[in-house]
Amino acid sequence: MPALGLAALAGAAAVFAPAPPAAASQAEARSVALAANCKPGKIEPLRQIVGGAGETVFKVSCTGGKSKDAFVLVQCRVHQCVLLR
């Protein structure tokens, strides 16, 4: 009987475990920035939402341009990223 109780606890823990953040990595954000004519420099996450519809918004600083403050925002859901700005 104690083994059954342990299995129930493990199952309950799996149900209540927090969901991982969006699975997109900085590599996907970098490729979107390159496609937007932004040579990526520093990449930092601005916002992460966990759950079934998790997403991450990255701020990608552009290097090599005229403006030192140039950046793009990239929104990623799962492994799909789009340019926001």
Side-chain angles (χ1 to χ4, degrees):
M1 286 290 185
L4 182 60
L6 186 58
L9 276 176
V15 170
F16 295 110
S25 68
Q26 292 184 359
E28 283 104 352
R30 182 182 318 267
S31 66
V32 170
L34 279 170
N37 294 325
C38 168
K39 184 178 176 187
K42 183 179 177 183
I43 300 175
E44 56 186 305
L46 288 182
R47 178 179 69 204
Q48 285 188 325
I49 299 172
V50 297
E55 73 177 43
T56 304
V57 175
F58 292 101
K59 177 182 178 183
V60 182
S61 300
C62 303
T63 61
K66 296 176 184 177
S67 175
K68 294 186 181 205
D69 297 330
F71 66 92
V72 294
L73 296 179
V74 178
Q75 178 187 41
C76 299
R77 293 183 179 151
V78 187
H79 285 288
Q80 203 167 35
C81 298
V82 295
L83 182 68
L84 289 179
R85 177 187 123 140

